[in-house]
Amino acid sequence: MTETVAGADWQAWQDSWDRQQEWYMPDREERFRVMLDMVEALVGTAPRVLDLACGTGSISDRLLKRFPEAESVGVDLDPALLAIAEGYFAGDARVRFVRADLKNPSWTAQLPHDSYDAVLTATALHWFYSEDLRGLYGQLGGVVRDGGVFMNADHMPDETTPRINAADRAQRHARMDRAKAAGAVDWADWWKLAAADPLLAGPTAERFEIYGEHADGDTPSAQWHAQVLRDSGFAEARTVWRSPSDALVLGLK
């Protein structure tokens, strides 16, 4: 990105975020596709969606392109990523954003609706420790309407297969190293670009005051996620997509 484009073109920032995330997850679009397939199958093509820990609005972007009659509410705490989201979606009445801390027990009071057809999140809740995530899932049991869905796509390793995990990790990191050598921008480099942009410098500094270099958390298995969702009031819960290291878990109310 040139300085001019970075300072004015929210599409360029959205694209650069996608490329940075794809460096870590080359199958990122596949998990989004399956997520939206399940939205369509279970709640239809005009859902009210809560984009949880929305970041730049990656899920909302794909949701609204596939389902033009959908409505999305994005919620996040990160001021820099929300700035990109708000700039990118400016003027689109189908989407709105709420800044809230999901670790604050009263965060749901800031939402514009009491219930949602679908709550969707991806590559975000790994910064929760398990007990905090259990509490969040309990709250989501009251946010998703009866017959609605919750989906979380994230890093959910199977600790019972250490040799498979090690082989997959070695292959992934070798591929990432090759891409980095060819000029791919990683997490740290992306944030340096954001900090250098006049429109994002302030929000980026605030973001690092909140999170530090990277938020902490842990990565329980997909089976753990499914069980906790059932404990939280979801009638059914299971994995609906997975890669060697990541999974998409769906809970149906």
Side-chain angles (χ1 to χ4, degrees):
M1 295 184 298
T2 67
E3 183 175 348
T4 300
V5 170
D9 189 345
W10 296 114
Q11 177 73 61
W13 276 113
Q14 189 73 258
D15 292 345
S16 73
W17 177 259
D18 282 344
R19 288 193 299 272
Q20 179 255 120
Q21 291 288 286
E22 288 162 2
W23 182 69
Y24 296 95
M25 299 168 290
D27 52 20
R28 184 168 178 255
E29 292 301 325
E30 177 68 7
R31 69 189 72 191
F32 287 149
R33 182 191 65 78
V34 174
M35 179 180 282
L36 295 182
D37 281 351
M38 298 310 296
V39 167
E40 182 174 4
L42 292 165
V43 297
T45 59
R48 174 190 291 167
V49 171
L50 180 62
D51 186 350
L52 192 72
C54 64
T56 65
S58 298
I59 290 174
S60 293
D61 188 32
R62 287 150 182 81
L63 173 81
L64 296 173
K65 286 175 177 173
R66 177 161 168 176
F67 307 129
E69 296 180 6
E71 171 190 357
S72 180
V73 176
V75 59
D76 207 304
L77 183 61
D78 190 312
L81 298 185
L82 280 176
I84 295 170
E86 289 168 349
Y88 178 75
F89 288 98
D92 191 334
R94 299 171 299 171
V95 60
R96 68 183 87 177
F97 294 97
V98 174
R99 186 176 177 190
D101 184 353
L102 299 182
K103 294 183 178 179
N104 184 327
S106 64
W107 71 272
T108 57
Q110 298 176 244
L111 299 178
H113 307 292
D114 293 331
S115 67
Y116 294 81
D117 301 308
V119 177
L120 309 177
T121 188
T123 326
L125 299 188
H126 56 265
W127 49 263
F128 273 73
Y129 284 105
S130 297
E131 286 312 303
D132 291 329
L133 189 56
R134 185 184 297 275
L136 178 65
Y137 280 2
Q139 289 181 296
L140 294 176
V143 172
V144 177
R145 68 162 173 84
D146 288 346
V149 297
F150 166 72
M151 281 182 268
N152 179 15
D154 212 336
H155 188 53
M156 301 179 189
D158 184 342
E159 299 301 339
T160 68
T161 58
R163 289 189 296 163
I164 295 172
N165 297 351
D168 171 62
R169 186 179 188 279
Q171 182 182 56
R172 284 188 290 110
H173 280 262
R175 183 193 67 242
M176 291 164 67
D177 288 345
R178 291 192 296 271
K180 189 74 162 63
V185 174
D186 65 11
W187 172 268
D189 288 342
W190 190 91
W191 282 109
K192 289 176 183 176
L193 290 171
D197 182 81
L199 292 179
L200 292 176
T204 298
E206 183 183 356
R207 184 249 179 233
F208 279 94
E209 289 178 5
I210 296 169
Y211 295 109
E213 288 299 318
H214 201 283
D216 294 325
D218 54 26
T219 53
S221 68
Q223 291 83 357
W224 181 94
H225 286 269
Q227 183 59 57
V228 173
L229 287 172
R230 288 189 288 268
D231 294 343
S232 301
F234 289 84
E236 301 177 15
R238 71 172 178 90
T239 300
V240 293
W241 172 90
R242 89 156 301 138
S243 72
S245 60
D246 290 19
L248 170 61
V249 171
L250 182 152
L252 176 67
K253 278 290 293 289

